Amino acid sequence: MSQNLDPNMVMIVILILFIVMMWMSSRRMKKQQKQQQEELREAMVPGTLVMLRGGIIATIVSVDEKYEEIVVDSEGSRLRLKLNAVAGKYVRPAFIDDDETDDDAQQEEAGSEEAEGASPSSEAPELSDAGQAAEQEAPSADDAADTAAPAEAGEDDTEDNASDNEAK
């Protein structure tokens, strides 16, 4: 049966399917654009901050639906424009000045320097509560040797101290 298929017919069918898919996709995109445009027109009320297609940021003063015109005010300059000159609502982006971040970093450094001066053990790595408790309960080998009962006076003490120094 596959020998009866004409390769030209297969190509034509594939081409037709491709064209239908492209047409459906463009139709869907047009519907989305139309819906967005309607939502934008509904949102155009006096007092709304908008950005025009040329990049001008302005406030809507009045809307004339009959002639599809709006009047906008941008820092004292009033303009009469067609509705399609509006690119969309304008939302001012959040902005942090570089000077503010430098001041914050200097304040954090000053705060950390004060904290280092207050606690002499700030150079040691921080341990969790369980780790700190275990460290306090388990004395090190040097501490155990120092706190052990003193050996008999005389040569034994000097031999222990000499061996401790060699171990270090």
Side-chain angles (χ1 to χ4, degrees):
M1 181 168 167
S2 63
Q3 296 172 352
N4 295 336
L5 291 178
D6 184 22
N8 291 333
M9 283 300 279
V10 172
M11 290 296 287
I12 291 173
V13 169
I14 291 174
L15 184 63
I16 290 173
L17 287 174
F18 183 73
I19 291 171
V20 168
M21 287 175 40
M22 292 293 288
W23 177 73
M24 302 252 316
S25 175
S26 67
R27 191 171 151 214
R28 186 178 324 126
M29 287 178 62
K30 284 180 184 179
K31 282 183 180 180
Q32 287 177 347
Q33 287 176 348
K34 188 174 182 178
Q35 181 183 6
Q36 288 175 348
Q37 194 119 33
E38 287 175 7
E39 289 174 0
L40 180 62
R41 284 186 180 209
E42 290 173 4
M44 284 195 217
V45 294
T48 304
L49 194 62
V50 294
M51 182 171 0
L52 305 177
R53 299 240 182 243
I56 297 172
I57 300 167
T59 305
I60 295 176
V61 176
S62 67
V63 180
D64 186 1
E65 294 288 335
K66 182 178 178 182
Y67 295 106
E68 295 186 355
E69 295 178 343
I70 60 170
V71 176
V72 295
D73 180 25
S74 179
E75 305 231 354
S77 298
R78 288 193 177 212
L79 302 168
R80 179 177 300 274
L81 305 163
K82 296 297 272 181
L83 282 175
N84 59 1
V86 176
K89 281 186 173 180
Y90 179 73
V91 178
R92 183 167 287 168
F95 180 77
I96 299 174
D97 192 18
D98 290 339
D99 296 335
E100 292 174 12
T101 57
D102 292 342
D103 293 341
D104 294 341
Q106 290 174 356
Q107 290 174 355
E108 289 176 7
E109 288 175 11
S112 64
E113 289 174 2
E114 290 174 5
E116 288 177 6
S119 63
S121 65
S122 63
E123 293 179 33
E126 293 186 29
L127 298 174
S128 64
D129 293 337
Q132 289 175 348
E135 184 180 337
Q136 291 173 355
E137 291 175 8
S140 65
D142 292 336
D143 293 341
D146 293 339
T147 58
E152 295 178 25
E155 297 176 13
D156 291 341
D157 287 338
T158 57
E159 289 175 7
D160 289 339
N161 289 338
S163 65
D164 284 345
N165 289 337
E166 288 176 4
K168 290 181 184 178

